[in-house]
Amino acid sequence: MNAEAFIRGNTILTTACHVPEIQLHLATEIAPIWLATETWLAEHNVAPPFWAFAWPGGQALARHILDNPALVAGRRVLDFAAGGGIAAIACGMAGARGVEASEIDPMARAAICLNAIANAATVTPAHDVVGEQCRWDLILCGDICYEAPMTARIMPWLTDMARTAEVWIADPGRAYLPLSGLDPFASYRIDTTLELEDRTSRDVVFYRLRAAG
């Protein structure tokens, strides 16, 4: 079974509650896809299927973009750690000049491609872009500060990117969000489930990241 067949066999094409304009291949129940992925993992070394869920940060970004398309129209956008690519697809629908969606997980990149096709959006999947030179006008980061090692690795690079690009972090209250260098500018309350979170909604705050120095 290849990646596309695995995704189609373990998800359904549906919409996230706050972004009905975008169709995504999503898991409707956590247990079946996680069990399937455990089997797949043993055979193909695949990461957990974070791409199969519309996390609060990504939903909030997509909602904000679709409601305010002028913020991305004509701009080169990176959806960083994109998951299934919901924010990237929103940018494509809103008239971005070019959209990349970066993910280190090859299964997530396959899901991004399928989701983009489902919405007739042009999105280019990218691998690990940390350390690359800036080629974007806007970098979107949805829910990226949930692990200390990841946060420690990516924040110096993102702070450097903020010298030449606008960097947004949409954070739903994760433990490792930096305590400085962030300017809040919007917020959304996003419904979630107790299967994914420890509460039934998350308040997602948008921050602009300030450049170092």
Side-chain angles (χ1 to χ4, degrees):
M1 185 186 299
N2 62 23
E4 180 177 325
F6 177 82
I7 292 166
R8 293 187 185 279
N10 289 279
T11 64
I12 65 169
L13 193 59
T14 185
T15 60
C17 60
H18 293 277
V19 196
E21 300 94 327
I22 296 177
Q23 296 190 84
L24 301 168
H25 289 84
L26 298 176
T28 54
E29 298 177 6
I30 287 183
I33 193 167
W34 280 82
L35 291 174
T37 305
E38 287 297 320
T39 302
W40 185 267
L41 176 63
E43 297 175 355
H44 298 91
N45 193 30
V46 170
F50 297 115
W51 51 266
F53 305 97
W55 297 93
Q59 285 199 60
L61 282 169
R63 184 71 271 148
H64 191 67
I65 290 159
L66 292 177
D67 289 345
N68 303 277
L71 294 173
V72 302
R75 305 180 80 184
R76 299 166 299 171
V77 182
L78 171 66
D79 184 4
F80 178 73
I86 187 171
I89 291 166
C91 290
M93 295 170 68
R97 175 181 165 190
V99 185
E100 291 183 68
S102 70
E103 261 294 346
I104 61 173
D105 178 5
M107 192 69 72
R109 294 196 299 275
I112 289 166
C113 290
L114 288 176
N115 291 335
I117 290 169
N119 294 277
T122 301
V123 176
T124 302
H127 193 258
D128 187 358
V129 296
V130 174
E132 294 189 11
Q133 296 296 310
C134 190
R135 56 180 180 270
W136 309 282
D137 304 306
L138 174 64
I139 299 175
L140 306 177
C141 309
D143 202 350
I144 58 170
C145 297
Y146 55 87
E147 290 181 345
M150 178 177 177
T151 304
R153 177 173 181 261
I154 66 178
M155 287 307 300
W157 178 74
L158 288 171
T159 301
D160 187 55
M161 293 297 97
R163 296 178 185 276
T164 53
E166 192 173 358
V167 180
W168 298 358
I169 297 177
D171 184 78
R174 302 307 183 200
Y176 300 102
L177 181 73
L179 299 178
S180 61
L182 299 170
D183 298 317
F185 67 93
S187 64
Y188 288 81
R189 176 159 290 180
I190 300 296
D191 296 332
T192 184
T193 70
L194 293 176
E195 291 179 307
L196 288 177
E197 303 278 358
D198 61 357
R199 64 200 73 178
T200 57
S201 67
R202 283 274 181 181
D203 290 323
V204 179
V205 179
F206 285 20
Y207 299 93
R208 285 187 181 88
L209 180 64
R210 294 197 298 271

